[in-house]
């Protein structure tokens, strides 16, 4: 039968207050860190969950658990660092605080199977994974030659081919397996962060970065053909993979191979709390340059009213199609050069362009930035040794003018190398430094909320865990009153 709702969020608040008075009449018996979690959840309204998931329940059969209580309970398990659903179901039975804070009567809490039934309703696909278990062996990434470098992409499609294809594709959230999870995340958390002024969706500065998500210590697969019985040990036949959406990738930060996903996260870099906007899980071998495109254009389709004004990306995204797209869309790119271009590039037969895009004179000296002309879309550089009073002090001056030789670098010549603001300017460096917000956000998900400790075997469960961690990141960013209203109510009663 359909779930029964009892008065919405106000009824939940009264329920928690009554049980706190009953089981914890002395508020000082609860640690301060636990009180912060209690206050957060007491103020968290999950009424949309009940309304949104109503149609996913049958009108027949036994009465199910209230969807908002199931979601709240799973969020609490992550907040209290309980990574196993089996352990959490046991904690609900023995810890009254966990039970009534979830919204359940003490002594009447759900089991492990009830949680998995709830997750089925959050996953809009019959299969638990995106790919079939039996598929060909994927190409393995090669170990990079330089320590700390990212592995080369194994995809045969280039960025120049992939970008226009995804740009002209319209993605519908209803067609995505994680569609319901995204709707809950957007309506109950992301939109509320926007309304609180934590994210400016009218002029969004977006930082992107990929991070490894290790799901197992090794790749689990076995043969489904009979080649081995025929003496063929190196056949290329399809294999059965226990985690079909995962493969082997290279972790550049730890210089090792790993098995799992590549999580690409888009973060609002101008938000004080490094708030996530949209995530996407891909196989571990996915290069960041491709992961960004798949994530970014899905985000644009799912959040059409979000206007991106800046893109902050690392050197893995340093490709000409990115700059050309940003120019078309009036987006200011802040992308670090990857070091493979821009060195010893001859410009007008007299000058070379340094690694950071700054011109070098004939003597190899870096020229001084002398202003920008946005209307003409060009940047001006001036001789570093020239003085308006005495002229150039160089032994072999480039110009007889006291002002010194000047060079104008136009965006149309090479938008990858020449930016406004210039890469050597304080404005560019200050803005680019905000790109680390994506790394800090990934750190919170993986270390603070123990994303990888889930030890799941299906993409469905990894997405469920990931989206609920993102919800908690937004929840933590919302300001609480200086003094707990809930604690005051209990003390007043006492």
């Amino acid at each position: 039968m359909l779930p029964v709702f009892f008065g919405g969020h106000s009824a939940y608040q009264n329920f928690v207050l009554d049980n706190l008075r009953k089981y914890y009449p002395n508020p000082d018996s609860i640690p301060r860190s636990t009180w912060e979690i209690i206050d957060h959840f007491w103020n968290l309204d999950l009424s949309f969950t009940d309304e949104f998931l109503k149609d996913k329940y049958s009108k027949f059969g036994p009465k199910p658990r209230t969807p908002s209580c199931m979601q709240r309970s799973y969020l609490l398990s992550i907040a209290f660092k309980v990574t196993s659903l089996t352990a959490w179901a046991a904690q609900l039975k023995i810890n009254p605080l966990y039970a009534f804070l979830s919204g359940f009567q003490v002594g009447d809490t759900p089991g492990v199977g009830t949680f998995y039934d709830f997750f089925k309703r959050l996953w809009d696909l019959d299969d638990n994974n995106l790919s079939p278990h039996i598929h060909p062996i994927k190409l393995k990434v090669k170990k990079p030659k330089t320590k700390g470098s990212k592995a080369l992409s194994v995809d045969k499609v280039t960025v120049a081919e992939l970008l226009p294809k995804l740009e002209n594709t319209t993605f519908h959230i209803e067609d995505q397996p994680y569609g319901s999870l995204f709707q809950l995340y957007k309506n109950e958390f992301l939109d509320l962060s926007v309304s609180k002024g934590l994210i400016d969706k009218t002029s969004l500065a977006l930082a992107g970065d990929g991070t490894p998500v290790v799901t197992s210590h090794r790749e689990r697969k076995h043969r489904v053909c009979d080649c081995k019985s025929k003496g063929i040990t190196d056949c290329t036949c399809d294999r059965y993979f226990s985690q079909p959406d995962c493969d082997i990738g290279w972790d550049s930060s730890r210089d090792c191979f790993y098995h799992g996903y590549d999580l690409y996260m888009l973060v609002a870099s101008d938000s004080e709390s490094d708030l996530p906007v949209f995530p996407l899980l891909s196989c571990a071998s996915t290069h960041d340059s491709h992961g960004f495109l798949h994530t970014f254009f899905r985000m644009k389709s799912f959040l059409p009213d979000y206007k991106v004004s800046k893109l902050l990306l690392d050197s893995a995204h340093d490709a000409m199609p990115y700059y050309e797209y940003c120019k078309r869309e009036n987006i200011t790119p802040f992308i670090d050069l990857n070091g493979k271009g821009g060195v010893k590039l001859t410009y007008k037969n007299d000058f070379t362009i340094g690694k950071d895009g700054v011109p070098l004179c004939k003597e190899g000296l870096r020229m001084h930035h002398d202003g920008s002309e946005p209307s003409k879309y060009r940047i001006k550089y001036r001789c570093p040794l020239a003085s308006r009073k005495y002229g150039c002090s160089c032994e072999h001056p480039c110009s007889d003018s006291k002002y010194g030789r000047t060079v104008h670098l136009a965006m149309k010549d090479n938008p990858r190398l020449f930016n406004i603001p210039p890469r050597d300017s304080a404005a560019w460096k200050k803005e680019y430094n905000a790109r680390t917000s994506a790394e800090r956000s990934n750190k919170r998900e993986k270390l603070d909320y123990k994303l990888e400790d889930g030890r799941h075997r299906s993409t469905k469960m990894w997405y469920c865990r990931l989206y609920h961690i993102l919800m908690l990141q937004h929840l933590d960013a919302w300001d609480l009153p200086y003094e707990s209203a809930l604690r005051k109510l209990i003390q007043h009663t006492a």
Side-chain angles (χ1 to χ4, degrees), residues 26 32 106 121 123 131 142 225 227 241 356 358 407 464:
N26 180 14
R32 182 183 296 273
V106 177
R121 293 176 169 88
W123 186 248
S131 307
K142 294 182 179 180
C225 61
C227 293
F241 295 84
D356 56 356
V358 178
V407 174
C464 287

Side-chain angles (χ1 to χ4, degrees), residues 57 77-78 100 165 171 198 215 219 256 288 312 360 374 381 402 415 456 464:
Y57 288 84
S77 71
I78 300 174
F100 67 72
K165 179 182 177 182
F171 298 95
L198 300 177
T215 61
E219 186 179 45
C256 65
D288 277 357
L312 288 67
L360 307 176
Y381 286 87
K402 289 186 177 180
H456 303 302
C464 287

Side-chain angles (χ1 to χ4, degrees), residues 69-337:
C69 295
M70 295 299 300
Q71 183 189 15
R72 190 182 295 108
S73 185
Y74 185 54
L75 287 169
L76 280 167
S77 71
I78 300 174
F80 283 113
K81 308 296 189 295
V82 181
T83 59
S84 167
L85 281 176
T86 303
W88 179 248
Q91 287 291 328
L92 288 174
K93 295 183 182 300
I94 62 178
N95 192 325
L97 177 64
Y98 292 171
F100 67 72
L101 198 57
S102 299
F104 304 126
Q105 293 287 350
V106 177
D108 182 19
T109 56
V112 179
T114 308
F115 280 100
Y116 281 107
D117 287 340
F118 174 69
F119 295 141
K120 285 182 181 179
R121 293 176 169 88
L122 299 180
W123 186 248
D124 301 331
L125 193 68
D126 293 336
D127 199 342
N128 291 337
N129 297 286
L130 307 179
S131 307
H133 283 279
I134 299 177
H135 61 73
I137 300 175
K138 297 180 180 179
L139 292 175
K140 184 179 178 180
V141 297
K142 294 182 179 180
K143 180 180 178 179
K145 296 180 181 179
T146 308
K147 186 176 181 180
S149 300
K150 296 188 177 182
L152 296 176
S153 174
V154 298
D155 294 319
K156 296 181 180 179
V157 180
T158 64
V159 172
E161 296 170 338
L162 183 61
L163 192 149
K165 179 182 177 182
L166 294 176
E167 183 182 3
N168 297 318
T169 302
T170 302
F171 298 95
H172 300 283
I173 190 61
E174 297 81 8
D175 300 333
Q176 308 302 317
Y178 49 82
S180 294
L181 282 165
F182 177 79
Q183 294 284 14
L184 295 178
Y185 160 72
K186 176 182 180 297
N187 285 274
E188 293 177 333
F189 295 89
L190 183 60
D191 288 351
L192 195 53
S193 291
V194 171
S195 67
K196 290 177 177 289
L198 300 177
I199 296 177
D200 183 7
K201 68 177 184 179
T202 61
S203 181
L204 182 63
L206 209 58
D209 193 24
T211 186
V213 176
V214 180
T215 61
S216 62
H217 293 293
R218 63 182 179 87
E219 186 179 45
R220 292 179 172 86
K221 63 180 185 291
H222 61 79
R223 297 173 182 266
V224 292
C225 61
D226 58 350
C227 293
K228 191 173 182 179
S229 62
K230 297 177 182 179
I232 305 174
T233 57
D234 57 347
C235 72
T236 58
C237 298
D238 294 355
R239 301 286 196 271
Y240 179 92
F241 295 84
S242 63
Q243 294 178 282
D245 298 326
C246 300
D247 67 357
I248 297 175
W250 177 257
D251 187 346
S252 59
S253 62
R254 295 178 176 84
D255 285 314
C256 65
F257 290 102
Y258 76 97
H259 178 258
Y261 298 98
D262 175 75
L263 167 61
Y264 200 96
M265 184 65 63
L266 294 176
V267 178
S269 64
D270 51 357
S271 63
E272 294 183 1
S273 303
D274 307 319
L275 291 178
V277 178
F278 184 73
L280 189 69
L281 289 174
S282 305
C283 55
S285 61
T286 303
H287 195 268
D288 277 357
S289 61
H290 287 198
F292 167 79
L293 295 177
H294 285 287
T295 310
F296 178 74
F297 287 109
R298 281 172 170 79
M299 187 213 78
K300 282 180 65 69
S301 294
F302 303 155
L303 301 170
D305 53 339
Y306 281 55
K307 306 301 179 184
V308 180
S309 60
K310 300 174 185 176
L311 278 179
L312 288 67
L313 307 170
D314 63 16
S315 59
H317 308 79
D318 181 27
M320 183 63 74
Y322 281 93
Y323 300 94
E324 295 172 343
Y325 172 80
C326 290
K327 184 177 180 180
R328 292 196 307 270
E329 298 295 322
N330 295 319
I331 298 174
T332 305
F334 293 86
I335 305 175
D336 196 16
L337 292 176

Side-chain angles (χ1 to χ4, degrees), residues 416-428:
R416 172 177 172 266
L417 292 178
F418 315 131
N419 291 259
I420 296 178
R423 280 192 173 88
D424 65 329
S425 66
W428 192 93

